[in-house]
Amino acid sequence: MSSKKKDLGVTPLSEDVSAWYNEIVFKAELADRGPAKGTMVIRPYGYTMWEILQRELDQRFKDTGHVNAYFPLFIPESYLHREADHVEGFSPELAVVTHAGGKELDEPLVVRPTSETVIGEMYSRWISSYRDLPVLINAWNNVVRWELRPRIFLRTTEFLWQEGHTAHANEADAMAETLQMLDVYAEFASTVAAIPMVEGEKTPGERFAGAVRTYTIEGMMRDGKALQSGTSHYLGTNFAKAFDITYTDENNAVQPVHTTSWGMSTRMIGAVILAHGDDQGLVLPPRMAPIQIVIIPIGRDEGGAAALDKAEELANELKAAGVRVHVDSRDASPGFKFNDWELKGVPLRAELGPRDLEAGHVLVAHRVGELDDKGRPVKEQIPFAEFVERVPTMLDAYHQFLLDRADAFREENTSVVDEWGAFADQVSTGFALAFHCGRPECEDDIKAETSATPRCIPTHGEDADGTCIRCDTPSAYGKRIIFGRAY
RNA sequence: CGGGCUGUGGCGCAGUUUGGUAGCGCACUGCGUUUGGGACGCAGGGGUCGCCGGUUCAAAUCCGGCCAGCCCGACCA
């Protein structure tokens, strides 16, 4: 049994998170490795999650007044050099095209690692008056950053994302935009992905190359590590000055615009995998699940055929009610299918066999929930007449359950610490709330000793004063900041 | 890019020490029996042993180089 289970299953998450993550990505058919180093193929099951994320986020962008556009993949190399910090930050990971059309190019083209520079160039052409502001544009695209240590979804050489780029008349408007979009990300993560996020500002050492202030949402994964899941930057007038993006104000004075940029990527899929998964495989939050409920008809011959008919009838009604449902009519045993869909993280499973047909109900089990004395999910009998109406309610309740569970997990693994020894222990399993002096060298020292980094200065943290957890000099932030190991 | 480990049918592995005509489990194909927690029987198909070169009568096995993957660091959405 155990050896059989081992052959068929995956390395338990509780045993080895890295091995579990790699196996689950392949076995659940989310993605595969591409032939070139660091590239990934997103398979239909994984891509459907991306499509759902896109739809949900895009709606939120539109609701907050943004419009979509597309900017080019290739950027003249010189553009990157116009903003000093920006090049410095990105040049180590640029892919550069030097030859094309059978000859060497006059000027190399970089494959965009992000689009601040091309967009800056275009905004300088489009903006001339305060009447043109704000400009609120988002782009869905792919970017390339030459990563030394790729991991599917978490860090790939090419990844999909959206990058919002806005231009405003003054700092206050741009800052309001920056913080608004951070809230959009946090709300999305909680409402759709069932992941509670800590919102906060990055310390100077962790700031985006070229930004004045960088904000982040940080989620806690099942192993207590942090994952930066979305970022929003106030770029000040740095790019306005580098690309001459200016406007004439009401008093006929020429002013630089204040810009922002904000992004969420396919890494968010990795966050969903790592925030909810368990030893049996994926656990998908219902609002991101490609399949929200799978119906498994049981039995063969007449009984089986009748079960299949009824399953399809119920599935059609669920579809009409807006539920993503799948009927598994494969020629495989029920037990195999149960395990298969559990591996794939489908939130609800309905079983429907001759006995249920007779009794007029289906048996519904939750992917994560109460277990019976055999350690199997409790199955609830739901009469046919109530089924279609109850599924959406059950999905909502299950969403809430996963969110609460993730929230409780984060609470349990977050502690206030004021002593160095306790700090080192705490960051090995979760988040530490501690005072810090704010010096980048001290951050480096902490990282060298514990592999933990400052994740953020939490927006909702309480005001407090103290001395640095590492070097005892006064705290720089007026509150405790969050440290943790990160993906 | 540094340090460690690993490359053998789709997946997981044995075989490498001591060179001698490539094997197991799962998956796959066909037929039959099965179907309420990873079914069974019979019959099949599939591998230039990561790549290149060397030693040898003979290389998965020994030697050199390269490539890829994983883990730990540095970089990062």
Side-chain angles (χ1 to χ4, degrees):
Chain A
M1 168 66 191
S2 64
S3 66
K4 191 170 194 181
K5 181 105 187 175
K6 201 171 179 196
D7 284 347
L8 295 167
V10 292
T11 302
L13 176 133
S14 48
E15 210 170 86
D16 183 343
V17 178
S18 283
W20 174 88
Y21 181 83
N22 285 327
E23 289 172 31
I24 212 68
V25 161
F26 299 138
K27 291 198 176 177
E29 299 180 346
L30 292 172
D32 210 339
R33 261 194 278 279
K37 185 181 167 81
T39 62
M40 72 172 158
V41 174
I42 306 175
R43 300 184 66 178
Y45 196 60
Y47 198 77
T48 303
M49 288 174 70
W50 180 244
E51 288 179 314
I52 291 166
L53 177 150
Q54 280 186 303
R55 195 171 66 221
E56 292 281 349
L57 270 187
D58 203 61
Q59 188 59 53
R60 285 165 173 77
F61 297 158
K62 305 278 170 61
D63 289 346
T64 45
H66 301 86
V67 289
N68 285 330
Y70 186 80
F71 296 86
L73 174 69
F74 296 120
I75 303 175
E77 194 176 42
S78 59
Y79 277 52
L80 271 288
H81 291 277
R82 292 204 204 167
E83 213 291 327
D85 291 337
H86 194 63
V87 225
E88 197 190 330
F90 280 107
S91 44
E93 43 188 355
L94 291 180
V96 183
V97 180
T98 56
H99 291 71
K103 55 182 189 179
E104 186 167 357
L105 297 172
D106 291 340
E107 181 183 353
L109 297 171
V110 305
V111 180
R112 67 176 162 229
T114 178
S115 303
E116 273 75 7
T117 56
V118 232
I119 292 178
E121 165 69 17
M122 301 317 293
Y123 281 10
S124 78
R125 298 189 202 177
W126 297 342
I127 295 167
S128 47
S129 158
Y130 70 93
R131 295 178 212 277
D132 297 327
L133 297 174
V135 175
L136 305 173
I137 290 178
N138 175 65
W140 289 96
N141 62 31
N142 57 339
V143 288
V144 168
R145 299 178 186 179
W146 215 254
E147 294 295 345
L148 301 175
R149 196 174 159 191
R151 299 198 68 184
I152 290 192
F153 290 122
L154 300 175
R155 208 183 310 103
T156 45
T157 291
E158 177 192 7
F159 59 90
L160 305 183
W161 74 343
Q162 56 68 215
E163 43 178 327
H165 292 269
T166 68
H168 306 264
N170 55 56
E171 173 169 354
D173 289 357
M175 272 304 300
E177 167 77 8
T178 305
L179 295 175
Q180 171 185 244
M181 299 323 287
L182 189 74
D183 283 343
V184 164
Y185 288 145
E187 185 273 332
F188 162 82
S190 155
T191 307
V192 180
I195 304 175
M197 293 287 175
V198 182
E199 290 179 66
E201 184 177 353
K202 284 292 189 189
T203 62
E206 298 270 318
R207 209 176 268 155
F208 174 77
V212 173
R213 287 194 275 279
T214 285
Y215 295 83
T216 177
I217 55 171
E218 299 279 329
M220 183 185 280
M221 306 295 102
R222 300 279 284 170
D223 56 359
K225 286 167 104 172
L227 185 69
Q228 177 175 317
S229 307
T231 50
S232 187
H233 315 287
Y234 168 60
L235 304 172
T237 55
N238 290 348
F239 286 88
K241 286 174 179 159
F243 289 90
D244 194 28
I245 320 171
T246 57
Y247 70 98
T248 305
D249 68 15
E250 295 89 326
N251 304 312
N252 202 33
V254 176
Q255 305 280 4
V257 300
H258 293 250
T259 60
T260 81
S261 67
W262 26 276
M264 183 176 273
S265 72
T266 36
R267 172 180 278 184
M268 189 67 200
I269 310 270
V272 168
I273 299 167
L274 280 166
H276 296 302
D278 66 18
D279 287 354
Q280 274 66 51
L282 280 183
V283 171
L284 297 183
R287 290 170 199 156
M288 270 192 79
I291 297 171
Q292 297 175 306
I293 179 168
V294 60
I295 305 180
I296 301 180
I298 295 169
R300 45 183 299 105
D301 302 327
E302 298 82 16
L308 179 58
D309 285 349
K310 186 65 185 178
E312 273 168 357
E313 178 193 322
L314 291 171
N316 285 333
E317 290 175 37
L318 280 174
K319 262 177 218 158
V323 175
R324 294 189 288 273
V325 58
H326 175 72
V327 175
D328 186 354
S329 57
R330 286 178 297 177
D331 181 21
S333 73
F336 175 86
K337 294 178 183 177
F338 297 165
N339 285 284
D340 192 41
W341 293 112
E342 280 165 11
L343 175 83
K344 287 191 165 146
V346 174
L348 299 180
R349 180 187 75 228
E351 299 170 34
L352 178 53
R355 295 208 293 268
D356 308 302
L357 219 44
E358 184 84 18
H361 63 227
V362 294
L363 297 181
V364 176
H366 290 71
R367 170 64 178 78
V368 180
E370 267 186 273
L371 300 180
D372 64 19
D373 47 12
K374 277 185 250 166
R376 303 242 158 77
V378 167
K379 300 172 184 180
E380 189 185 352
Q381 297 181 352
I382 300 186
F384 291 145
E386 298 171 21
F387 181 62
V388 173
E389 181 187 345
R390 284 199 52 196
V391 167
T393 313
M394 293 176 92
L395 289 170
D396 284 345
Y398 182 69
H399 170 87
Q400 192 60 44
F401 167 80
L402 290 182
L403 180 60
D404 289 346
R405 183 174 78 148
D407 203 38
F409 181 82
R410 189 188 58 183
E411 288 300 313
E412 281 162 28
N413 292 289
T414 302
S415 295
V416 168
V417 291
D418 285 313
E419 281 140 33
W420 178 245
F423 176 90
D425 284 348
Q426 180 57 30
V427 295
S428 68
T429 57
F431 292 171
L433 284 164
F435 291 112
H436 191 258
C437 62
R439 291 160 42 235
E441 315 87 75
C442 184
E443 288 182 9
D444 292 346
D445 181 41
I446 289 173
K447 179 158 194 189
E449 293 297 316
T450 65
S451 55
T453 50
R455 302 318 306 153
C456 68
I457 307 153
T459 305
H460 304 294
E462 287 170 28
D463 291 346
D465 268 311
T467 58
C468 180
I469 188 72
R470 182 57 175 159
C471 68
D472 265 346
T473 57
S475 160
Y477 304 110
K479 56 172 75 167
R480 288 169 191 278
I481 70 172
I482 295 186
F483 283 86
R485 291 172 308 142
Y487 274 97

